[in-house]
Amino acid sequence: MTSFYPASLNRCAIEDDLFNTFLIKKNCVSLLKGFVTDWVPTLWDLDFLAKCTLGQTVTVKIGQPYTGNRVPSESECSFKQQDLGEFFRFLKTYEDNSTFYYAGYTHFAMLNSTAQQFHSFDWSWAGLRDIGSSKSTLWAGSAGSFTPCHKDSYGCNLHAQLIGCKEWLLWPPEYDLGPTRLPYEESSTFSSVDVLDKDYKNSALKIVTTPGEVLFIPKHWWHLARNLETSVSINTWIELPTDSVDRLQEAITRLLVCGIKRSEPSQDG
């Protein structure tokens, strides 16, 4: 039922147009090695990123890393606005693993950097020549920072590790992980169960991505991602023909959520 290609999927084994000729046809979680050795983002370090993003404000999540068998909820974390350049400078020296800091889901299109290297990359190495930085997203955090277990509503996901290591737990779409839209986030469905319980964790695919590796996540796969050390990665979501149905469902969900919010009594009474 579940297919996974760990170390065997390397550049020399795949022809041009990796995405269409292999990933879409196989439609399985795949760890790609050796594909981005000469890719511009692999040259970035924390100093370069700090210089490129100074003056850009992002939301930083702050919380306690999970070490046992329960992932903290988003409501147990706090959030603050911070200069992204200063955040990268902070990550360079931060070593306290008792609290994590995470600036995730930052769209490159929202970052006004004058550094050509920062915006000049694309995903043509995968045969995706029409996808560039404007359709890419930046993720950066300290050890222990995480993205809660969820599945994306649209497309499939290419996630490239640039700095540090990240641990992934993944489950196929047919697994019942208690889908919920709370907290509401457009295009994401969260899991309401304790995915670190042994029954769920033992059924997951476990993968650790290291610098220079790219993880392909097929459509609607559940995934929980945790940074094992200071980590920087970028990703892109690739649209699929089946997304039109999901976009309609997402629009209905958004209308329902907006209706519920409007019907809630105001704090002023």
Side-chain angles (χ1 to χ4, degrees):
M1 179 175 60
T2 300
S3 298
F4 173 50
Y5 294 81
S8 61
L9 188 55
N10 53 60
R11 189 170 192 168
C12 64
I14 303 298
E15 300 292 333
D16 191 23
D17 199 5
L18 166 71
F19 179 72
N20 289 309
T21 61
F22 185 86
L23 296 178
I24 287 299
K25 287 184 178 180
K26 295 293 185 181
N27 195 38
C28 59
V29 174
S30 303
L31 183 60
L32 313 178
K33 298 189 175 187
F35 287 87
V36 296
T37 53
D38 54 355
W39 197 35
V40 168
T42 61
L43 304 175
W44 300 347
D45 58 18
L46 293 176
D47 288 326
F48 172 79
L49 289 167
K51 182 179 179 180
C52 289
T53 58
L54 196 63
Q56 311 291 312
T57 302
V58 297
T59 300
V60 174
K61 180 169 73 171
I62 306 167
Q64 307 302 312
Y66 61 84
T67 56
N69 58 359
R70 191 183 73 85
V71 180
S73 67
E74 294 290 275
S75 62
E76 296 176 74
C77 301
S78 60
F79 299 84
K80 71 172 183 178
Q81 298 296 299
Q82 185 172 353
D83 183 291
L84 184 54
E86 294 294 344
F87 180 68
F88 279 117
R89 291 176 178 172
F90 165 77
L91 286 181
K92 187 176 180 180
T93 58
Y94 183 68
E95 297 180 350
D96 183 1
N97 293 335
S98 63
T99 302
F100 72 73
Y101 296 82
Y102 197 28
Y105 206 50
T106 303
H107 294 281
F108 277 83
M110 304 299 293
L111 299 174
N112 299 315
S113 175
T114 58
Q116 184 178 1
Q117 262 196 357
F118 192 67
H119 286 291
S120 63
F121 70 91
D122 60 31
W123 298 76
S124 59
W125 58 266
L128 301 167
R129 294 172 179 80
D130 59 337
I131 297 182
S133 62
S134 64
K135 295 181 179 179
S136 303
T137 308
L138 179 68
W139 308 79
S142 63
S145 55
F146 65 90
T147 302
C149 185
H150 70 286
K151 61 180 179 179
D152 303 315
S153 300
Y154 314 131
C156 48
N157 188 350
L158 276 178
H159 199 107
Q161 193 71 30
L162 305 181
I163 298 172
C165 298
K166 181 176 292 189
E167 177 191 72
W168 299 78
L169 296 179
L170 304 104
W171 296 262
E174 61 266 24
Y175 272 51
D176 183 4
L177 297 186
T180 178
R181 299 310 301 266
L182 298 175
Y184 176 72
E185 180 180 298
E186 187 173 354
S187 75
S188 293
T189 298
F190 292 95
S191 167
S192 63
V193 303
D194 180 8
V195 295
L196 295 184
D197 180 88
K198 64 178 182 178
D199 290 336
Y200 293 108
K201 190 173 182 179
N202 290 344
S203 63
L205 290 175
K206 183 178 178 180
I207 304 167
V208 175
T209 50
T210 61
E213 295 179 342
V214 182
L215 183 64
F216 172 72
I217 305 173
K219 184 173 182 175
H220 288 169
W221 270 67
W222 296 97
H223 49 285
L224 166 67
R226 175 176 61 157
N227 293 322
L228 300 179
E229 56 191 350
T230 296
S231 170
V232 178
S233 56
I234 59 177
N235 86 301
T236 188
W237 287 278
I238 303 103
E239 293 184 4
L240 299 173
T242 55
D243 287 349
S244 57
V245 175
D246 298 292
R247 291 189 185 282
L248 176 59
Q249 294 175 341
E250 193 65 28
I252 295 172
T253 300
R254 185 165 56 249
L255 287 173
L256 292 173
V257 170
C258 290
I260 292 172
K261 288 186 176 180
R262 283 195 298 268
S263 66
E264 291 178 346
S266 65
Q267 293 183 350
D268 296 332

